[in-house]
Amino acid sequence: AQSVTQLGSHVSVSEGALVLLRCNYSSSVPPYLFWYVQYPNQGLQLLLKYTSAATLVKGINGFEAEFKKSETSFHLTKPSAHMSDAAEYFCAVSTSTGFQKLVFGTGTRLLVSP
Amino acid sequence: KAGVTQTPRYLIKTRGQQVTLSCSPISGHRSVSWYQQTPGQGLQFLFEYFSETQRNKGNFPGRFSGRQFSNSRSEMNVSTLELGDSALYLCASSLGAETNSPLHFGNGTRLTVT
């Protein structure tokens, strides 16, 4: 069964600093990987997805993630944090099983200080 | 294009009652999935419907059920409510033709069981 592990329930950065949110996956077949962001009292918004076309994936709001098979990782980065990036971030995995089902990580809350 | 719409946004119910939540997907999307989000268990998959058929079901008791109509709108029903059913229920839609088709989430229905 596939799963994802997000290291760090909370990550704190200063405005302008590099953002790095970690995600490691476990899957017996090539996975599809996703990063979602959740702002307070809202649903989840897709940031980016990996579907084997390219290992470096660019998403919205300046975020990107790199798929590393050897490390089973799909870490999310952003060169310069903005106050508006403060939210909860979820990594998710699905596999080619013929239906839509995402398995989510436990989430990482990003705190941005001025 | 309108996003995924969930109604109502908030619900307060008493133990033992039943509740029905509604979800209108993005126009053209044929797959609708439901997820439960709680602080303790995180995001958990409930079930997915595609063209009025349930394609997959998560590990929830039979008190949780759903259905999808011919216009792709979906409802989720929880009978005999328990205190532990208090959660944010998220609906997500996708084209559904491919398993890597990204999910688009609504803002959720927050259910409180007293």
Side-chain angles (χ1 to χ4, degrees):
Chain A
Q2 64 271 31
S3 66
V4 291
T5 302
Q6 292 185 242
L7 296 175
S9 59
H10 292 79
V11 170
S12 294
V13 300
S14 299
E15 194 172 20
L18 171 72
V19 175
L20 171 60
L21 304 181
R22 300 178 186 274
C23 173
N24 287 87
Y25 70 90
S26 172
S27 177
S28 57
V29 297
Y32 300 118
L33 294 161
F34 305 82
W35 275 100
Y36 284 85
V37 61
Q38 186 177 34
Y39 298 99
N41 297 318
Q42 292 188 24
L44 281 71
Q45 180 183 8
L46 179 69
L47 282 175
L48 49 81
K49 68 173 185 177
Y50 166 76
T51 57
S52 77
T55 57
L56 183 61
V57 183
K58 293 188 183 298
I60 62 171
N61 301 339
F63 285 93
E64 63 181 36
E66 186 173 8
F67 175 74
K68 292 187 177 180
K69 185 177 179 181
S70 61
E71 299 178 6
T72 60
S73 69
F74 190 58
H75 302 331
L76 182 70
T77 60
K78 182 174 181 178
S80 176
H82 294 162
M83 296 294 291
S84 60
D85 294 327
E88 189 149 24
Y89 293 79
F90 293 91
C91 181
V93 63
S94 74
T95 55
S96 178
T97 51
F99 50 79
Q100 296 281 348
K101 177 184 175 182
L102 290 181
V103 175
F104 286 89
T106 51
T108 298
R109 185 166 298 280
L110 177 65
L111 308 170
V112 183
S113 56
Chain B
K1 201 180 229 185
V4 177
T5 303
Q6 291 188 247
T7 56
R9 284 297 309 274
Y10 301 92
L11 266 177
I12 300 175
K13 291 286 186 179
T14 304
R15 247 184 324 176
Q17 289 185 315
Q18 75 162 13
V19 67
T20 299
L21 312 182
S22 181
C23 172
S24 294
I26 291 172
S27 178
H29 285 192
R30 297 168 62 192
S31 170
V32 174
S33 303
W34 290 88
Y35 288 80
Q36 182 196 63
Q37 185 177 24
T38 60
Q41 300 298 318
L43 282 152
Q44 293 187 288
F45 173 78
L46 280 156
F47 30 64
E48 187 228 356
Y49 287 87
F50 180 79
S51 293
E52 302 179 66
T53 300
Q54 187 181 90
R55 287 203 295 197
N56 193 34
K57 190 177 188 302
N59 190 25
F60 279 81
R63 300 184 297 107
F64 291 82
S65 63
R67 60 178 176 168
Q68 187 181 34
F69 302 96
S70 58
N71 61 359
S72 293
R73 191 178 69 85
S74 177
E75 287 182 348
M76 189 191 96
N77 184 274
V78 188
S79 62
T80 319
L81 284 166
E82 300 177 359
L83 294 178
D85 297 333
S86 294
L88 180 66
Y89 290 89
L90 293 166
C91 168
S93 75
S94 73
L95 291 170
E98 305 166 346
T99 53
N100 62 349
S101 176
L103 301 185
H104 299 267
F105 285 83
N107 284 331
T109 294
R110 184 164 296 282
L111 172 64
T112 302
V113 182
T114 62

